[in-house]
Amino acid sequence: FEPCPSPPPSTSRSSSSKKKKNEEEKSKKRKSSGDDFEPSPPSTSRPKSANSTKPATNKKPVPDRTLNYWVEVYLEKDKKWICFDVKTGKMNTPADIEARLPKPIFYILAVDNKGYFKDVTRRYASDYITSTRKLRYDEDWIEETLKKFTQRSGNKSKQEDQELERKSEEAPMPTTVSGFKNHPLYVLKRHLLKFEAIYPAEAPPLGWWKSEPVYARECVHTLQGRTSWLKEGRTVKVGEEAYKVVTARPKYDRMTGTMVKDQPLDVFGHWQTEKYIPPPAKDGKVPRNEYGNVELFKPWMLPKGTVHIPINGLTRVLRKLNVDAAPAMMGWDFSGGGCHPVFDGYVVCKEFEDLVIDAWDQDQREREERAEEKREKRILDNWRRLVKGLFIREKIQAKYMKKK
């Protein structure tokens, strides 16, 4: 036997054919099992790094177009103020200035050459009535605060006020429900309060908002009950029917000690009332209500033939003189968690006025004399007590204390 330096070619071919057969069998198994995955050749491209991304283009900053200051010029020929934008050169364009103002708008104050202030918000706020007015503080407080810095009323100031008032009134009708609420010119029935009503009942609407009539604010009137109108010095006319019936406020019943609720209350308008005329005094007797008082809520409620004496404490004097009089009820006090009547003096017949006042003066002089006598007596008693105490002290010292 002699070794061969290289394997025979037949052997090598067979091995290669066996490998091919094995690969074919494996491929058939993959196909039968549904595994058709074939690995993709490795990519020759390089992975992108974070730094390889292109930088974003820098956007130019948007210029701030808000406007906080501008100029107003007074035209002597037209007698009015116009606005002037120094940046753009536009003149008399309040709408353009309003568009550039920071929102929301609260106050816009103008300062003249003399340093006086003027509230010109209505000139530049187109929605002053519907929105801006509700955002501002109490107007009375603002006027009181700026009173020292505002110019005294003159023709120029009055004309400007009329122009601002006219501009605010020319605003269009609101387009939302919230805009109609508390609007000074327009009102919807849904926004009427408990004691408010539209008069006359057949008042024509100024327009419509979604099939709901819009009425003028001047048609809205406040209604009150009979007692409330009496406090205003007015009484309901005879034969008038209630314009509206509402639920009365809860009232405390002293007899049962409970709160009475859900009681109907007839309310009337001002056009259904007349000035209260009290009955006159007769035979020296003062007319009074069921409680024995004279209601003097207004000056014309004083009964004819009587006079009001605003002096408290006349009861004893009137009892001595046997003169008929009634306490004068001036109003109500709602402090202390309740309602209490307020009295000021008495109402007597006019023929007894001088007699009562003279008797009051005499009574006051007598009171002063009695008070002075009482004061002098108290002073003398104090001196007597002091002197008596000094004598007793001297006697005790002389009798029981040794002399040095």
Side-chain angles (χ1 to χ4, degrees), residues 249-253 256-262:
R249 298 184 179 93
K251 186 177 181 181
Y252 180 76
D253 189 2
T256 60
T258 58
M259 295 293 293
V260 180
K261 301 179 180 179
D262 301 332

Side-chain angles (χ1 to χ4, degrees), residues 32-71:
S32 61
S33 64
D35 188 8
D36 298 337
F37 174 77
E38 292 183 3
S40 60
S43 176
T44 58
S45 61
R46 295 179 181 178
K48 295 181 181 180
S49 62
N51 298 329
S52 64
T53 58
K54 294 182 181 180
T57 57
N58 295 329
K59 296 182 180 180
K60 294 182 180 180
V62 179
D64 186 10
R65 295 181 58 83
T66 56
L67 189 64
N68 293 316
Y69 305 97
W70 62 95
V71 179

Side-chain angles (χ1 to χ4, degrees), residues 132-191:
T132 306
R133 180 179 59 88
K134 299 178 182 179
L135 299 175
R136 291 158 62 97
Y137 197 67
D138 184 20
E139 294 295 333
D140 296 335
W141 180 86
I142 296 172
E143 293 180 1
E144 185 66 23
T145 304
L146 298 178
K147 187 176 182 180
K148 297 182 180 179
F149 308 98
T150 54
Q151 192 175 12
R152 296 181 179 179
S153 59
N155 294 332
K156 185 185 297 186
S157 180
K158 290 181 180 179
Q159 291 177 359
E160 187 177 8
D161 292 338
Q162 293 175 0
E163 179 188 355
L164 296 176
E165 189 71 23
R166 184 173 60 256
K167 183 176 178 61
S168 61
E169 291 179 355
E170 292 175 354
M173 189 179 295
T175 57
T176 59
V177 178
S178 59
F180 282 102
K181 194 169 186 178
N182 296 329
H183 198 282
L185 301 178
Y186 310 104
V187 64
L188 298 176
K189 276 190 175 181
R190 67 169 74 181
H191 294 152

Side-chain angles (χ1 to χ4, degrees), residues 11-224:
T11 308
S12 63
R13 288 191 190 103
S14 62
S15 62
S16 61
S17 62
K18 288 180 180 178
K19 289 181 180 178
K20 288 181 180 178
K21 289 180 180 179
N22 293 334
E23 290 178 0
E24 290 176 359
E25 290 177 357
K26 289 180 180 180
S27 63
K28 290 179 181 178
K29 289 180 180 179
R30 291 193 191 101
K31 290 180 180 180
S32 61
S33 64
D35 188 8
D36 298 337
F37 174 77
E38 292 183 3
S40 60
S43 176
T44 58
S45 61
R46 295 179 181 178
K48 295 181 181 180
S49 62
N51 298 329
S52 64
T53 58
K54 294 182 181 180
T57 57
N58 295 329
K59 296 182 180 180
K60 294 182 180 180
V62 179
D64 186 10
R65 295 181 58 83
T66 56
L67 189 64
N68 293 316
Y69 305 97
W70 62 95
V71 179
E72 282 190 346
V73 182
Y74 183 74
L75 302 180
E76 293 289 347
K77 184 178 180 180
D78 298 335
K79 294 183 178 181
K80 68 176 184 178
W81 291 89
I82 63 172
C83 57
F84 177 73
D85 190 354
V86 181
K87 291 184 178 180
T88 61
K90 295 182 179 180
M91 184 180 297
N92 199 15
T93 56
D96 182 68
I97 290 179
E98 181 185 2
R100 298 170 57 190
L101 293 177
K103 303 298 186 298
I105 301 174
F106 293 95
Y107 303 94
I108 300 177
L109 299 178
V111 186
D112 61 5
N113 297 336
K114 297 181 180 180
Y116 292 113
F117 286 20
K118 183 71 175 181
D119 186 5
V120 294
T121 311
R122 289 177 289 182
R123 181 175 295 154
Y124 301 98
S126 58
D127 57 348
Y128 175 82
I129 295 180
T130 57
S131 300
T132 306
R133 180 179 59 88
K134 299 178 182 179
L135 299 175
R136 291 158 62 97
Y137 197 67
D138 184 20
E139 294 295 333
D140 296 335
W141 180 86
I142 296 172
E143 293 180 1
E144 185 66 23
T145 304
L146 298 178
K147 187 176 182 180
K148 297 182 180 179
F149 308 98
T150 54
Q151 192 175 12
R152 296 181 179 179
S153 59
N155 294 332
K156 185 185 297 186
S157 180
K158 290 181 180 179
Q159 291 177 359
E160 187 177 8
D161 292 338
Q162 293 175 0
E163 179 188 355
L164 296 176
E165 189 71 23
R166 184 173 60 256
K167 183 176 178 61
S168 61
E169 291 179 355
E170 292 175 354
M173 189 179 295
T175 57
T176 59
V177 178
S178 59
F180 282 102
K181 194 169 186 178
N182 296 329
H183 198 282
L185 301 178
Y186 310 104
V187 64
L188 298 176
K189 276 190 175 181
R190 67 169 74 181
H191 294 152
L192 294 178
L193 300 179
K194 179 179 178 180
F195 292 94
E196 288 183 347
I198 293 177
Y199 178 79
E202 60 276 3
L206 301 179
W208 298 84
W209 185 84
K210 292 184 179 180
S211 70
E212 188 174 356
V214 179
Y215 296 94
R217 174 63 67 173
E218 60 185 8
C219 295
V220 179
H221 296 266
T222 302
L223 309 178
Q224 299 185 47

